[in-house]
């Protein structure tokens, strides 16, 4: 059997500088809390996802925008040091690099406020141009999220449809921050949706998370719903499977969902079936919560092997006619297991 080459991961998303505050409790409205410590880190959903994918060995490109400032330069240097290709990361002359204020309590729970800055100025034509230059292939994976303008996600959908008659490049969409499912427009392209339990319920109106996953799967190529310390639920083509997470000591849940998405994309790009890719993502998400900050504990492949279970989820189908999809005879397998928020 002819082996397919490993694909690339192309992330369209945000780049932020994180200000992390360790708090004895998360403040209630009107309450002042004295932090017990503070730190600066690198973040942004897009950047976190890209670094996580690259850490797991994927050839990773980021399409994003930063400010023309010291924070933007530092963020770019950090991304390059993590082996993320930044040729499609643009700079905005007036808007600052995005920022996030992250408050973390002793149990690892967090509250986050994001100032989008330059992220809000990423333009759809810039996304189209970047994806055109990259010449997407059926083995590649494009990952989007809601921290960039909706017009950019629609541009990505259109570019994916134009990439080939079958639109074989896989598209993953992370619904965080909570927002509507992407409008595929005339292209009709639908992503594999990754949502946490709260987002899944909000998007579907279902009280039960399994029902929410089923409804999401019907509206998309499939759905992966993260369940925190309980793992994840994979739903596709009328079937579903739950993947448990390994027990870990939680330090900070910030960015665990981003690591989950990056790991899912990286594993799919190297040829895994959805079942194995989701198991890898669960393991990666669990590993991520053991460190402080969005990138305080980014796993390498060797970190995940002892955590990988033999769980099997139903295969998601690629768009009609696309080669190499999970569940097909050449459907590409591998992977390890966590709790993403």
């Amino acid at each position: 059997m002819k082996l397919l080459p490993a694909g690339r991961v192309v992330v369209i998303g945000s780049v932020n500088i994180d200000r992390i505050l360790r708090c004895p409790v998360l403040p209630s409205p009107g309450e002042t809390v004295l932090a017990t410590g503070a730190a600066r880190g690198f973040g942004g959903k897009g950047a976190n996802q890209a670094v996580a994918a690259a850490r797991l060995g994927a050839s990773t490109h980021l399409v994003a925008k930063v400010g023309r400032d010291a924070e933007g330069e530092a963020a770019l240097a950090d991304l390059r040091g993590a082996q993320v290709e930044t040729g499609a990361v643009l700079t905005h002359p007036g808007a600052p690099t995005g920022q996030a204020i992250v408050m973390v309590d002793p149990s690892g729970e967090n509250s986050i406020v994001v100032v989008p800055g330059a992220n809000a100025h990423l333009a759809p034509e810039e996304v189209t141009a970047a994806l055109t230059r990259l010449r997407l292939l059926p083995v590649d994976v494009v990952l989007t999220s809601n921290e960039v303008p909706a017009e950019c996600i629609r541009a990505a959908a259109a570019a994916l449809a134009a990439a080939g008659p079958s639109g074989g490049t896989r598209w993953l969409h992370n619904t965080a921050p909570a927002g509507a499912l992407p409008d595929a427009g005339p292209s009709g392209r639908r992503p594999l949706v990754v949502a946490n339990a709260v987002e899944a319920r909000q998007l579907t109106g279902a009280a039960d998370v399994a029902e929410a996953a089923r409804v999401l799967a019907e509206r998309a190529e499939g759905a992966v719903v993260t369940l925190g310390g309980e793992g994840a639920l994979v739903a596709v083509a009328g079937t579903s499977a739950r993947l448990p997470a390994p027990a870990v000591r939680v330090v900070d849940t910030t960015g665990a969902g981003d690591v989950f998405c990056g790991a899912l994309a990286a594993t799919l790009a190297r040829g895994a079936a959805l079942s194995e890719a989701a198991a890898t993502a669960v393991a990666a998400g669990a590993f991520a919560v053991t460190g402080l900050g969005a990138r305080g504990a980014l796993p390498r492949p060797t970190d995940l092997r002892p955590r990988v279970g033999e769980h099997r989820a139903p295969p998601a189908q690629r768009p009609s006619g696309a080669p190499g999809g999970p569940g097909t005879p050449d459907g590409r397998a591998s992977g390890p297991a966590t709790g993403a928020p």
Side-chain angles (χ1 to χ4, degrees):
M1 182 178 71
K2 183 179 179 180
L3 295 178
L4 293 173
R8 299 166 295 177
V9 173
V10 180
V11 181
I12 303 168
S14 56
V15 178
N16 293 332
I17 298 295
D18 289 351
R19 315 290 178 179
I20 306 163
L21 305 177
R22 302 214 65 163
C23 304
V25 295
L26 297 179
S28 299
E31 180 183 13
T32 298
V33 171
L34 296 179
T36 59
R40 190 186 88 152
F42 296 102
K45 296 194 71 63
N48 293 341
Q49 292 166 351
V51 171
R55 184 85 166 204
L56 290 174
S59 173
T60 306
H61 298 252
L62 178 62
V63 181
K65 185 168 282 189
V66 298
R68 191 171 294 168
D69 49 28
E71 287 81 2
E73 292 176 3
L76 284 170
D78 178 74
L79 288 164
R80 292 171 186 140
Q83 307 304 307
V84 174
E85 294 289 338
T86 60
V89 180
L90 306 174
T91 58
H92 191 282
T97 298
Q99 294 188 54
I101 307 301
V102 183
M103 294 175 286
V104 185
D105 74 9
S107 73
E109 288 299 325
N110 62 57
S111 290
I112 303 173
V113 178
V114 175
V115 183
N119 295 307
H121 295 274
L122 185 65
E125 58 270 21
E126 293 166 339
V127 171
T128 301
L131 295 182
T132 300
R133 287 194 301 270
L134 286 168
R135 298 178 181 272
L136 296 173
L137 301 171
V139 290
D140 295 333
V141 176
V142 171
L143 173 57
T144 58
S145 67
N146 289 337
E147 256 185 11
V148 295
E151 294 82 1
C152 293
I153 299 170
R154 285 195 288 271
L160 284 164
S166 63
T169 302
R170 167 156 267 162
W171 175 21
L172 307 184
H173 180 70
N174 179 209
T175 60
L181 290 178
D183 174 14
S187 71
R189 281 305 308 270
R190 300 192 302 171
L192 174 67
V193 171
V194 183
N196 65 26
V198 173
E199 293 158 358
R201 292 189 185 101
Q202 289 177 343
L203 287 167
T204 63
D208 177 69
V209 70
E211 176 64 11
R214 184 192 66 77
V215 174
L216 278 180
E218 291 178 348
R219 298 178 183 174
E221 182 189 345
V224 181
V225 178
T226 60
L227 306 174
E230 297 181 11
L233 184 62
V234 180
V236 67
T239 59
S240 65
R242 189 178 292 258
L243 303 178
V248 296
R249 178 179 174 273
V250 177
V251 174
D252 181 5
T253 59
T254 305
D258 300 337
V259 174
F260 183 102
C261 291
L264 183 67
T267 313
L268 288 171
R270 73 167 183 260
L274 178 58
S275 58
E276 311 223 13
T280 302
V282 167
F287 190 91
V289 304
T290 62
L292 179 65
R295 302 186 204 163
L298 291 176
R300 298 182 185 278
T302 52
D303 296 317
L304 302 184
R305 287 177 191 138
R307 301 170 184 264
V308 182
E310 295 300 321
H311 314 298
R312 291 293 180 269
Q317 300 301 312
R318 281 187 179 254
S320 175
T328 61
D330 60 341
R332 319 181 308 177
S334 91
T338 152

